[in-house]
Amino acid sequence: MDSTFGLTPQEWQAVALSLRVSLWATVVSLPFGVAVAYLLARRQFWGKQLLNGLVHLPLILPPVVTGYILLMGFGRRGPVGGFLDDCCGIVLAFRWTGAALAAAIMAFPLMVRAIRLAIEAVDPKLEQVAGTLGANGAWVFLTVTLPLILPGIVAGAILAFAKAMGEFGATITFVSNIPGQTQTLPSAIYSFLQVPGGEGAALRLVLIAVGIAMVALVVSEWVGRTIARRIAGI
């Protein structure tokens, strides 16, 4: 089989699909992550602890359980999946979009935690001063809070991206392991380890996964420090 840079077409497909899934999982979930983190950090309301528990539940549950819940809820016979299929023709189960959904849910707690810590580090008096000058809540958030928490948002997004890249249990349960369609990097590594002679391909993909994770962490640190210096006026 022809290969480029030592990778076969199937391996390239797994890498490209993982990057695609992780990018969409991060981009789509980021606004929700900021909103949930702000609610948990700055608001008091009935059910706050319940929301906090639901957000962090994927960290506690076995990933296979999360994948099964997604399959029951978002599969074609599930209440949400059936509705989306009937009204919009959207199918998530056994599609790459379903892999993005599973990855987003598994990575969401890490994203929310990083952003929440950044919000809690902002002195509420700064927001209160802006409010006394006549700015409404949304404008205070956009002009005061958001610039100050940008390092946390960047860190949360990159951590979520890296987590999405490594998601396996929930993804394979919800969308299976179809080469070229739902076979992400971890699924491809698992598949290669199940066949004789597949250790070389698995090792190549493992090295790529480690490389992407390291790059993500380095970029997260660099971007976070750069934004922090600019905010501080250094």
Side-chain angles (χ1 to χ4, degrees), residues 41-42 114-124 126 148-149:
R42 284 288 190 264
I115 300 174
R116 180 181 180 178
L117 290 175
I119 295 173
E120 290 176 343
V122 176
D123 189 348
L126 296 175
L148 293 174
I149 66 172

Side-chain angles (χ1 to χ4, degrees), residues 11-233:
E11 294 165 22
W12 274 117
Q13 284 181 340
V15 173
L17 182 61
S18 285
L19 291 172
R20 183 184 186 186
V21 165
S22 301
L23 180 62
W24 278 102
T26 303
V27 170
V28 173
S29 62
L30 186 57
F32 298 99
V34 174
V36 171
Y38 186 82
L39 284 175
L40 293 176
R42 284 288 190 264
R43 295 287 183 263
Q44 296 296 328
F45 55 91
W46 184 90
K48 179 177 179 178
Q49 293 305 317
L50 176 60
L51 176 60
N52 186 57
L54 290 174
V55 167
H56 291 89
L57 195 60
L59 290 179
I60 302 171
L61 287 176
V64 174
V65 174
T66 302
Y68 178 77
I69 293 173
L70 287 173
L71 188 61
M72 293 296 99
F74 290 87
R76 285 189 170 181
R77 297 183 180 180
V80 180
F83 173 77
L84 292 175
D85 188 16
D86 293 338
C87 77
C88 311
I90 298 175
V91 178
L92 295 174
F94 307 106
R95 300 287 192 277
W96 77 267
T97 49
L101 174 62
I105 289 176
M106 295 301 295
F108 196 68
L110 296 178
M111 176 188 291
V112 170
R113 181 168 180 79
I115 300 174
R116 180 181 180 178
L117 290 175
I119 295 173
E120 290 176 343
V122 176
D123 189 348
K125 293 180 180 178
L126 296 175
E127 300 168 329
Q128 294 169 4
V129 168
T132 58
L133 295 176
N136 58 36
W139 188 248
V140 170
F141 177 80
L142 291 175
T143 59
V144 178
T145 311
L146 185 59
L148 293 174
I149 66 172
L150 272 180
I153 293 176
V154 172
I158 296 180
L159 284 175
F161 178 87
K163 172 63 176 177
M165 281 288 299
E167 171 49 36
F168 174 71
T171 302
I172 200 171
T173 305
F174 185 38
V175 300
S176 189
N177 184 13
I178 307 171
Q181 297 184 41
T182 64
Q183 188 177 75
T184 57
L185 199 57
S187 301
I189 293 172
Y190 174 79
S191 295
F192 283 124
L193 289 175
Q194 305 307 305
V195 297
E199 293 84 0
L203 178 59
R204 289 193 294 272
L205 294 181
V206 166
L207 293 176
I208 290 175
V210 172
I212 292 174
M214 289 301 298
V215 169
L217 291 174
V218 170
V219 170
S220 174
E221 288 290 327
W222 178 77
V223 173
R225 290 179 180 178
T226 300
I227 294 175
R229 285 197 299 267
R230 290 183 178 178
I231 290 174

